[in-house]
Amino acid sequence: VRTIRLLIQYDGTEFVGWQRQESGTSIQSVIEDALARIEGGAVTVHGAGRTDAGVHAAGQVASARLTTPLDDETLARALNANLPTAVRVFELVTVADDFHARFSARSKTYEYRIWNGAAVPPFIRHFVWHVPQPLAVELMQRAADALVGEHDFAAFQGTGRTVHTTVRAVISARWTEHALWLPPPGGGSSSGRSTSGRLLVFEMRGEGFLRHMVRAVAGTLVEIGLGRRNADEMPRILASRDRSQAGRTAPPCGLCLMKVEY
Amino acid sequence: VRTIRLLIQYDGTEFVGWQRQESGTSIQSVIEDALARIEGGAVTVHGAGRTDAGVHAAGQVASARLTTPLDDETLARALNANLPTAVRVFELVTVADDFHARFSARSKTYEYRIWNGAAVPPFIRHFVWHVPQPLAVELMQRAADALVGEHDFAAFQGTGRTVHTTVRAVISARWTEHALWLPPPGGGSSSGRSTSGRLLVFEMRGEGFLRHMVRAVAGTLVEIGLGRRNADEMPRILASRDRSQAGRTAPPCGLCLMKVEY
């Protein structure tokens, strides 16, 4: 028996999320099923982040215990051959037996993407939230600054999961503007700047996250960027510990798990 | 009656191509149908490039004649509201009545994208050709250099369309390596360099193109990059005027119409 660590990307559009569900196809189930075909028996895969339905991952990490004699590289190739193209394994290595993708994780980085323009470029439509109105990004950054550090994030917690504590440590939270790999008309081919719109990316790194936390934060920051809320009210929202005081949960398609650190 | 010019992007994955067909959904038909609903009567739309099934466009140009009193901006918004999200209009302007998207075009730029690595990042899987084996890009560039200028491209012409002449003027043909907007693991988040693979882009600009020409050229250049053909045989292939002398037609998903100049 050996323990393997997997580095995985997925387009979460067509999945019910990471975790295996009663009905619908989950990322975990397609990976477990593919490994089971290779292993010749049931395999349990643990993911670092239990991403929701429609959420993507550019750097999800998972672990599993296997008995197959295949070497790591052959196993990675066999696994990809048994997975849908929406899910790809980019790295597969044998690690120490005490490694557990979820419990060993020390920090995670998520990105939330917004297309801020009249029309969304078709090539990124499944990976962004469309906000057509002008956004005051400097105000959104000022509000995000108040989240850094250890806080009780109960006001930004979705329902449906029980946790011991709603205190979480946020390491960084920042807005940047990214270039598009297929720019819209009006943009320089590499600058990404365009008269048609801009791709705003909110990167949030933390030791841990509550359910829906990044999406609730992104939704609240957008309300601030639209001028519907004051940029200074973040400390008050945090102190309230009341979900109804924060903004709406941003849609899942804009969210992507970028990196897990150990 | 006024003439409008449209600047359009589309994800061609689910379409039978630009041109209206007996069966299946074409880009032309969804735009004509959307305009007809606004116009209250049949509308014919002319596209600059008649892209094939599965081919994409980041900068397709189209023209149409309309009587609707809606101003350009309102019309663009109404049109997008009536189109699937895979097709977006980024610019709509009223132009001189003698403008015709296809006949007025002076040059076009296409890009052909290859993912050169073991596994394709899920976020770009519909927009690249997957070539996992190592590619000698400098040889592919040397071979591409022989295409620049006015040549008879009969050896790179697909069947199914009748043309007066197979002579075409190629303005430039070059390979570059692009950054990914969602990089695969192992790559820096902005450099796009990665141990997992690289995105190779072949940009071809010309006064006109034969049917399947860019894809037949890309397929031939990849055979050179794989070492299955000599980098010096491009002049001989051109001179043969024989389709069987060139390489296989690269798959449509890697091709994208980037720009049309007038």
Side-chain angles (χ1 to χ4, degrees):
Chain A
V1 179
R2 77 189 204 259
T3 301
I4 57 164
R5 186 185 70 213
L6 304 156
L7 186 54
I8 305 163
Q9 289 202 338
Y10 46 84
D11 170 351
T13 309
E14 307 284 342
F15 294 92
V16 296
W18 168 266
Q19 217 159 6
R20 197 181 267 276
Q21 311 273 329
E22 291 283 317
S23 66
T25 308
S26 69
I27 320 288
Q28 184 185 24
S29 71
V30 296
I31 298 173
E32 286 182 348
D33 295 353
L35 280 174
R37 276 194 291 280
I38 297 162
E39 175 83 355
V43 177
T44 300
V45 173
H46 298 283
R50 289 167 296 177
T51 55
D52 285 308
V55 172
H56 315 289
Q60 170 75 287
V61 175
S63 56
R65 306 197 74 187
L66 299 169
T67 60
T68 172
L70 293 178
D71 65 83
D72 292 347
E73 206 184 311
T74 309
L75 182 55
R77 236 191 333 259
L79 185 48
N80 276 330
N82 279 281
L83 285 171
T85 56
V87 182
R88 289 289 100 177
V89 171
F90 277 89
E91 197 182 285
L92 188 158
V93 284
T94 298
V95 291
D97 275 336
D98 63 353
F99 179 80
H100 185 289
R102 190 162 145 233
F103 300 131
S104 309
R106 288 178 48 234
S107 75
K108 283 179 208 141
T109 304
Y110 282 93
E111 283 185 4
Y112 196 91
R113 287 181 167 70
I114 289 169
W115 179 256
N116 189 214
V120 180
F123 312 105
I124 61 167
R125 70 193 190 280
H126 298 306
F127 310 109
V128 296
W129 178 23
H130 184 204
V131 179
Q133 306 95 322
L135 285 169
V137 182
E138 61 291 354
L139 295 181
M140 293 157 73
Q141 182 59 61
R142 201 207 299 170
D145 289 342
L147 300 172
V148 177
E150 204 172 81
H151 300 284
D152 187 331
F153 283 94
F156 296 96
Q157 184 186 24
T159 52
R161 216 178 273 170
T162 317
V163 288
H164 292 297
T165 168
T166 48
V167 173
R168 291 292 182 273
V170 170
I171 299 162
S172 63
R174 60 168 176 246
W175 287 94
T176 48
E177 200 172 322
H178 281 211
L180 272 197
W181 79 290
L182 267 174
S189 70
S190 57
S191 75
R193 294 246 162 205
S194 162
T195 56
S196 310
R198 55 181 179 165
L199 180 63
L200 298 174
V201 180
F202 178 58
E203 187 201 75
M204 201 169 180
R205 185 167 163 242
E207 290 174 16
F209 294 88
L210 300 170
R211 184 158 203 237
H212 293 177
M213 179 170 144
V214 183
R215 289 164 57 195
V217 165
T220 307
L221 292 175
V222 163
E223 291 178 14
I224 288 166
L226 292 170
R228 294 178 191 161
R229 281 175 184 272
N230 196 295
D232 302 321
E233 61 180 287
M234 211 47 118
R236 186 191 61 71
I237 298 170
L238 282 169
S240 78
R241 303 187 68 251
D242 175 1
R243 181 67 192 83
S244 74
Q245 293 300 303
R248 283 167 58 185
T249 305
C253 57
L255 189 62
C256 189
L257 172 57
M258 298 302 289
K259 197 177 184 177
V260 186
E261 282 161 311
Y262 293 92
Chain B
V1 178
R2 77 189 203 257
T3 301
I4 57 164
R5 186 186 71 212
L6 304 156
L7 186 55
I8 305 163
Q9 290 202 337
Y10 46 84
D11 169 352
T13 310
E14 306 284 341
F15 295 91
V16 297
W18 168 264
Q19 217 159 7
R20 199 181 265 276
Q21 311 273 330
E22 291 284 317
S23 66
T25 308
S26 69
I27 319 288
Q28 184 185 25
S29 71
V30 295
I31 298 174
E32 285 182 348
D33 295 352
L35 280 174
R37 275 194 291 278
I38 297 162
E39 175 81 355
V43 177
T44 301
V45 173
H46 299 282
R50 289 167 296 177
T51 55
D52 285 308
V55 173
H56 315 287
Q60 169 78 285
V61 176
S63 57
R65 305 197 75 188
L66 299 170
T67 60
T68 172
L70 293 177
D71 65 83
D72 292 348
E73 207 184 309
T74 308
L75 182 55
R77 236 192 332 257
L79 185 48
N80 276 331
N82 280 279
L83 284 171
T85 56
V87 182
R88 289 289 99 177
V89 171
F90 277 89
E91 196 182 286
L92 188 157
V93 284
T94 298
V95 291
D97 274 338
D98 63 352
F99 179 81
H100 185 289
R102 187 161 147 235
F103 300 131
S104 308
R106 289 178 50 233
S107 74
K108 281 178 210 144
T109 304
Y110 282 93
E111 283 186 3
Y112 196 90
R113 287 181 168 70
I114 289 170
W115 179 256
N116 189 213
V120 180
F123 312 105
I124 61 168
R125 70 192 191 280
H126 298 306
F127 310 109
V128 296
W129 178 23
H130 184 203
V131 179
Q133 307 95 324
L135 286 169
V137 181
E138 62 290 354
L139 295 180
M140 292 156 74
Q141 182 59 60
R142 202 208 297 172
D145 289 342
L147 300 171
V148 176
E150 203 171 82
H151 299 285
D152 188 332
F153 283 94
F156 296 95
Q157 184 187 25
T159 53
R161 219 178 273 169
T162 318
V163 288
H164 293 298
T165 168
T166 48
V167 173
R168 291 292 182 275
V170 170
I171 299 162
S172 63
R174 58 167 179 248
W175 287 94
T176 48
E177 201 172 320
H178 281 213
L180 272 197
W181 79 290
L182 267 174
S189 71
S190 57
S191 75
R193 296 245 161 204
S194 162
T195 55
S196 311
R198 54 181 179 168
L199 181 63
L200 297 174
V201 180
F202 178 57
E203 186 201 75
M204 201 170 183
R205 183 166 165 243
E207 291 174 16
F209 293 89
L210 300 169
R211 184 158 204 237
H212 292 178
M213 180 170 144
V214 183
R215 290 166 55 194
V217 164
T220 307
L221 292 175
V222 163
E223 292 178 13
I224 289 166
L226 293 170
R228 295 177 190 162
R229 283 175 181 272
N230 196 295
D232 302 320
E233 60 179 286
M234 212 44 119
R236 187 192 60 70
I237 298 171
L238 283 169
S240 77
R241 305 187 67 251
D242 176 1
R243 182 65 191 87
S244 73
Q245 293 300 302
R248 283 168 58 184
T249 305
C253 56
L255 189 62
C256 189
L257 172 55
M258 298 302 289
K259 197 176 184 178
V260 186
E261 281 160 312
Y262 293 91

Coordinates of all heavy atoms in Angstrom, one line a residue, chain A residues 140-197:
Chain A
M140 N -13.1 48.5 -3.3 CA -13.2 47.1 -3.1 C -11.9 46.6 -2.4 O -12.0 45.7 -1.5 CB -13.5 46.3 -4.4 CG -14.9 46.6 -5.0 SD -15.0 46.3 -6.8 CE -14.9 44.6 -6.9
Q141 N -10.8 47.2 -2.8 CA -9.5 46.8 -2.2 C -9.5 47.3 -0.8 O -9.0 46.6 0.1 CB -8.4 47.4 -3.0 CG -7.0 46.9 -2.5 CD -6.8 45.4 -2.4 OE1 -6.9 44.7 -3.4 NE2 -6.7 44.9 -1.2
R142 N -9.9 48.5 -0.5 CA -9.9 49.1 0.8 C -10.7 48.2 1.8 O -10.3 47.9 2.9 CB -10.4 50.5 0.8 CG -9.9 51.3 2.0 CD -10.8 52.4 2.5 NE -11.0 53.4 1.4 CZ -11.9 54.4 1.5 NH1 -12.7 54.5 2.5 NH2 -12.0 55.3 0.5
A143 N -11.9 47.8 1.3 CA -12.8 46.9 2.1 C -12.1 45.6 2.3 O -12.2 45.0 3.4 CB -14.1 46.8 1.4
A144 N -11.5 45.1 1.3 CA -10.8 43.7 1.4 C -9.7 43.8 2.4 O -9.4 42.8 3.1 CB -10.3 43.3 0.0
D145 N -9.0 44.9 2.5 CA -7.9 45.0 3.5 C -8.3 44.7 4.9 O -7.6 44.2 5.7 CB -7.3 46.5 3.5 CG -6.5 46.7 2.2 OD1 -6.2 45.7 1.5 OD2 -6.3 47.9 1.8
A146 N -9.6 45.0 5.2 CA -10.1 44.8 6.6 C -10.3 43.3 6.9 O -10.6 43.0 8.1 CB -11.5 45.6 6.7
L147 N -10.2 42.5 5.9 CA -10.4 41.0 6.1 C -9.1 40.3 6.5 O -9.2 39.2 7.0 CB -11.0 40.4 4.8 CG -12.3 40.9 4.3 CD1 -12.6 40.3 3.0 CD2 -13.4 40.6 5.3
V148 N -8.0 40.9 6.2 CA -6.7 40.3 6.5 C -6.5 40.1 8.0 O -6.8 41.1 8.7 CB -5.6 41.1 5.8 CG1 -4.2 40.4 6.1 CG2 -5.8 41.1 4.3
G149 N -6.0 39.0 8.4 CA -5.8 38.7 9.8 C -6.8 37.7 10.3 O -7.5 37.1 9.5
E150 N -6.8 37.4 11.6 CA -7.7 36.4 12.2 C -9.0 37.1 12.6 O -9.0 38.1 13.3 CB -7.0 35.8 13.4 CG -7.5 34.5 13.7 CD -6.7 33.8 14.8 OE1 -6.9 34.1 16.0 OE2 -5.8 33.0 14.4
H151 N -10.1 36.6 12.0 CA -11.4 37.2 12.3 C -12.4 36.1 12.4 O -12.3 35.0 11.9 CB -11.8 38.2 11.2 CG -10.9 39.3 10.9 ND1 -10.9 40.4 11.7 CD2 -10.0 39.5 9.9 CE1 -10.0 41.3 11.2 NE2 -9.4 40.7 10.2
D152 N -13.5 36.5 13.0 CA -14.7 35.6 13.0 C -15.5 35.9 11.8 O -16.0 37.0 11.6 CB -15.6 35.8 14.3 CG -16.7 34.8 14.4 OD1 -17.1 34.2 13.4 OD2 -17.1 34.5 15.5
F153 N -15.5 34.9 10.9 CA -16.2 35.1 9.6 C -17.6 34.6 9.5 O -18.1 34.2 8.4 CB -15.3 34.5 8.4 CG -14.1 35.3 8.1 CD1 -12.9 35.1 8.7 CD2 -14.2 36.4 7.2 CE1 -11.8 35.9 8.3 CE2 -13.1 37.2 6.8 CZ -11.9 36.9 7.4
A154 N -18.3 34.5 10.7 CA -19.6 33.9 10.7 C -20.6 34.6 9.7 O -21.5 34.0 9.2 CB -20.2 34.0 12.1
A155 N -20.3 35.9 9.6 CA -21.2 36.7 8.7 C -21.1 36.3 7.2 O -21.9 36.7 6.4 CB -20.9 38.2 8.8
F156 N -20.0 35.6 6.9 CA -19.7 35.2 5.5 C -19.8 33.7 5.3 O -19.2 33.1 4.4 CB -18.3 35.7 5.1 CG -18.2 37.2 5.0 CD1 -17.7 37.9 6.1 CD2 -18.7 37.9 3.9 CE1 -17.6 39.3 6.1 CE2 -18.6 39.3 3.9 CZ -18.1 40.0 5.0
Q157 N -20.5 33.0 6.3 CA -20.6 31.6 6.2 C -21.9 31.1 5.6 O -23.0 31.5 6.0 CB -20.5 31.0 7.6 CG -20.4 29.4 7.6 CD -20.5 28.9 9.0 OE1 -20.9 29.5 9.9 NE2 -20.0 27.6 9.1
G158 N -21.8 30.2 4.6 CA -23.0 29.6 4.1 C -23.6 28.5 5.0 O -22.9 28.1 5.9
T159 N -24.8 28.1 4.8 CA -25.4 27.1 5.7 C -25.0 25.7 5.2 O -24.4 25.5 4.1 CB -26.9 27.2 5.7 OG1 -27.4 27.2 4.3 CG2 -27.4 28.5 6.3
G160 N -25.3 24.7 6.0 CA -25.2 23.3 5.5 C -24.0 22.6 6.0 O -23.8 21.4 5.6
R161 N -23.1 23.2 6.7 CA -21.9 22.5 7.2 C -21.7 22.9 8.6 O -21.8 24.1 9.0 CB -20.7 22.8 6.3 CG -19.8 21.6 6.1 CD -18.6 21.9 5.2 NE -18.9 21.7 3.8 CZ -18.1 22.1 2.9 NH1 -17.0 22.8 3.1 NH2 -18.4 21.9 1.6
T162 N -21.3 22.0 9.5 CA -21.1 22.3 10.9 C -19.6 22.4 11.2 O -18.8 21.6 10.8 CB -21.7 21.2 11.8 OG1 -23.0 20.9 11.3 CG2 -21.8 21.7 13.3
V163 N -19.2 23.5 11.8 CA -17.8 23.7 12.1 C -17.6 24.1 13.6 O -18.5 24.7 14.2 CB -17.1 24.8 11.3 CG1 -17.0 24.4 9.8 CG2 -17.9 26.1 11.3
H164 N -16.5 23.7 14.2 CA -16.2 24.0 15.6 C -16.1 25.5 15.8 O -16.6 26.0 16.8 CB -14.9 23.3 16.0 CG -15.0 21.9 16.0 ND1 -15.8 21.2 16.8 CD2 -14.4 20.9 15.3 CE1 -15.7 19.9 16.6 NE2 -14.8 19.7 15.6
T165 N -15.4 26.2 14.9 CA -15.3 27.6 15.1 C -15.4 28.3 13.7 O -15.1 27.8 12.7 CB -13.9 28.0 15.7 OG1 -13.7 29.4 15.6 CG2 -12.8 27.2 15.0
T166 N -15.9 29.6 13.8 CA -16.0 30.3 12.5 C -14.9 31.4 12.4 O -14.9 32.2 11.6 CB -17.4 31.0 12.4 OG1 -17.6 31.7 13.7 CG2 -18.5 30.0 12.2
V167 N -13.9 31.2 13.3 CA -12.7 32.1 13.2 C -11.7 31.5 12.1 O -11.5 30.3 12.1 CB -12.0 32.2 14.6 CG1 -10.6 32.9 14.4 CG2 -12.9 32.9 15.6
R168 N -11.3 32.4 11.2 CA -10.4 32.0 10.2 C -9.3 33.0 10.0 O -9.5 34.2 10.2 CB -11.1 31.8 8.8 CG -12.0 30.6 8.8 CD -11.3 29.3 8.9 NE -12.2 28.1 8.8 CZ -12.8 27.5 9.8 NH1 -12.6 28.0 11.0 NH2 -13.5 26.4 9.6
A169 N -8.1 32.6 9.6 CA -7.0 33.5 9.4 C -6.8 33.8 7.9 O -6.5 32.8 7.1 CB -5.7 33.0 10.0
V170 N -7.0 35.0 7.5 CA -6.8 35.4 6.1 C -5.4 36.0 6.0 O -5.1 36.9 6.7 CB -7.9 36.4 5.6 CG1 -7.6 37.0 4.3 CG2 -9.3 35.7 5.6
I171 N -4.6 35.5 5.0 CA -3.2 35.9 4.9 C -3.2 37.1 3.9 O -2.4 38.0 4.1 CB -2.4 34.7 4.3 CG1 -2.4 33.6 5.4 CG2 -0.9 35.2 4.1 CD1 -2.0 32.2 4.8
S172 N -3.9 37.0 2.8 CA -3.9 38.2 1.9 C -5.2 38.2 1.1 O -5.9 37.1 1.0 CB -2.8 38.1 0.9 OG -2.8 37.0 0.1
A173 N -5.6 39.4 0.7 CA -6.9 39.5 -0.1 C -6.7 40.7 -1.0 O -6.7 41.9 -0.6 CB -8.0 39.8 0.9
R174 N -6.5 40.5 -2.3 CA -6.2 41.6 -3.2 C -6.8 41.4 -4.6 O -6.9 40.4 -5.1 CB -4.7 41.8 -3.3 CG -3.9 40.7 -3.8 CD -2.5 41.0 -4.2 NE -1.9 39.8 -4.6 CZ -0.9 39.2 -3.9 NH1 -0.3 39.7 -2.9 NH2 -0.4 38.0 -4.3
W175 N -7.2 42.6 -5.1 CA -7.7 42.7 -6.4 C -6.7 43.1 -7.4 O -5.8 44.0 -7.2 CB -8.8 43.8 -6.5 CG -10.1 43.4 -5.8 CD1 -10.4 43.7 -4.5 CD2 -11.2 42.7 -6.3 NE1 -11.6 43.2 -4.2 CE2 -12.1 42.6 -5.3 CE3 -11.4 42.2 -7.6 CZ2 -13.4 41.9 -5.5 CZ3 -12.6 41.5 -7.8 CH2 -13.6 41.4 -6.8
T176 N -6.7 42.4 -8.6 CA -5.8 42.7 -9.7 C -6.5 42.6 -11.0 O -7.6 42.1 -11.0 CB -4.5 41.8 -9.8 OG1 -5.0 40.4 -9.7 CG2 -3.6 42.0 -8.6
E177 N -5.9 43.2 -12.0 CA -6.6 43.1 -13.4 C -5.7 42.2 -14.2 O -4.5 42.4 -14.2 CB -6.6 44.5 -14.0 CG -7.6 44.7 -15.1 CD -7.8 46.1 -15.5 OE1 -7.8 47.0 -14.7 OE2 -7.9 46.3 -16.8
H178 N -6.3 41.2 -14.8 CA -5.5 40.2 -15.5 C -5.7 40.4 -17.1 O -6.7 40.9 -17.5 CB -5.9 38.8 -15.2 CG -5.4 38.3 -13.9 ND1 -5.1 37.0 -13.6 CD2 -5.0 39.0 -12.7 CE1 -4.6 36.9 -12.4 NE2 -4.5 38.1 -11.8
A179 N -4.7 39.9 -17.8 CA -4.8 39.8 -19.2 C -5.6 38.6 -19.6 O -5.7 37.6 -18.9 CB -3.4 39.7 -19.9
L180 N -6.3 38.7 -20.8 CA -7.1 37.6 -21.3 C -6.2 36.8 -22.3 O -5.5 37.4 -23.1 CB -8.3 38.1 -22.1 CG -9.5 38.4 -21.3 CD1 -10.7 38.5 -22.3 CD2 -9.8 37.3 -20.3
W181 N -6.4 35.5 -22.3 CA -5.6 34.7 -23.3 C -6.2 34.8 -24.7 O -5.4 34.7 -25.7 CB -5.5 33.3 -22.8 CG -6.7 32.4 -23.1 CD1 -7.9 32.5 -22.5 CD2 -6.8 31.4 -24.1 NE1 -8.7 31.6 -23.0 CE2 -8.1 30.9 -24.0 CE3 -5.9 30.8 -25.0 CZ2 -8.5 29.8 -24.8 CZ3 -6.3 29.8 -25.8 CH2 -7.6 29.3 -25.7
L182 N -7.4 35.1 -24.8 CA -8.0 35.4 -26.1 C -8.7 36.8 -25.9 O -9.9 36.8 -25.5 CB -9.0 34.4 -26.6 CG -8.5 33.3 -27.5 CD1 -9.6 32.2 -27.7 CD2 -8.0 33.8 -28.8
P183 N -8.0 37.9 -26.2 CA -8.6 39.2 -25.8 C -9.8 39.5 -26.6 O -9.9 39.1 -27.8 CB -7.4 40.1 -26.1 CG -6.6 39.5 -27.1 CD -6.8 38.0 -26.9
P184 N -10.7 40.3 -26.0 CA -11.9 40.8 -26.8 C -11.4 41.9 -27.8 O -10.3 42.4 -27.6 CB -12.8 41.4 -25.7 CG -11.8 41.8 -24.7 CD -10.7 40.9 -24.7
P185 N -12.2 42.1 -28.8 CA -11.9 43.2 -29.8 C -11.7 44.5 -29.0 O -12.3 44.8 -28.1 CB -13.1 43.3 -30.7 CG -13.8 42.0 -30.5 CD -13.5 41.5 -29.1
G186 N -10.7 45.3 -29.5 CA -10.5 46.6 -28.9 C -9.3 46.5 -27.9 O -8.8 47.5 -27.4
G187 N -8.9 45.3 -27.6 CA -7.8 45.1 -26.7 C -6.5 44.7 -27.4 O -6.6 44.1 -28.5
G188 N -5.4 45.1 -26.8 CA -4.1 44.7 -27.4 C -4.0 43.2 -27.1 O -4.5 42.7 -26.2
S189 N -3.3 42.5 -28.0 CA -3.3 41.1 -27.9 C -2.6 40.6 -26.7 O -2.8 39.5 -26.2 CB -2.7 40.4 -29.1 OG -1.3 40.6 -29.2
S190 N -1.7 41.3 -26.1 CA -1.0 40.9 -24.9 C -1.3 41.7 -23.6 O -1.2 41.2 -22.5 CB 0.5 40.8 -25.1 OG 1.0 42.0 -25.5
S191 N -1.7 43.0 -23.8 CA -1.9 43.8 -22.7 C -3.2 43.4 -21.9 O -3.2 43.6 -20.7 CB -2.0 45.3 -23.1 OG -3.3 45.5 -23.7
G192 N -4.2 42.9 -22.6 CA -5.4 42.5 -22.0 C -6.3 43.7 -21.7 O -7.5 43.6 -21.4
R193 N -5.8 44.9 -21.9 CA -6.6 46.1 -21.7 C -7.5 46.2 -22.9 O -7.1 45.9 -24.0 CB -5.7 47.4 -21.7 CG -4.8 47.5 -20.5 CD -5.2 48.7 -19.6 NE -4.7 48.4 -18.3 CZ -5.2 49.0 -17.2 NH1 -6.2 49.7 -17.3 NH2 -4.6 48.8 -16.1
S194 N -8.7 46.7 -22.7 CA -9.7 46.7 -23.8 C -10.7 47.7 -23.5 O -11.1 48.0 -22.4 CB -10.3 45.3 -23.9 OG -11.5 45.3 -24.6
T195 N -11.3 48.3 -24.6 CA -12.4 49.1 -24.4 C -13.7 48.3 -24.1 O -14.7 48.9 -23.7 CB -12.7 50.0 -25.7 OG1 -12.8 49.0 -26.8 CG2 -11.5 50.9 -26.0
S196 N -13.6 47.0 -24.4 CA -14.8 46.2 -24.2 C -15.0 45.7 -22.8 O -16.1 45.2 -22.4 CB -14.6 44.9 -25.1 OG -14.3 45.2 -26.4
G197 N -14.0 45.8 -21.9 CA -14.2 45.4 -20.6 C -12.8 45.0 -20.0 O -11.8 45.1 -20.6

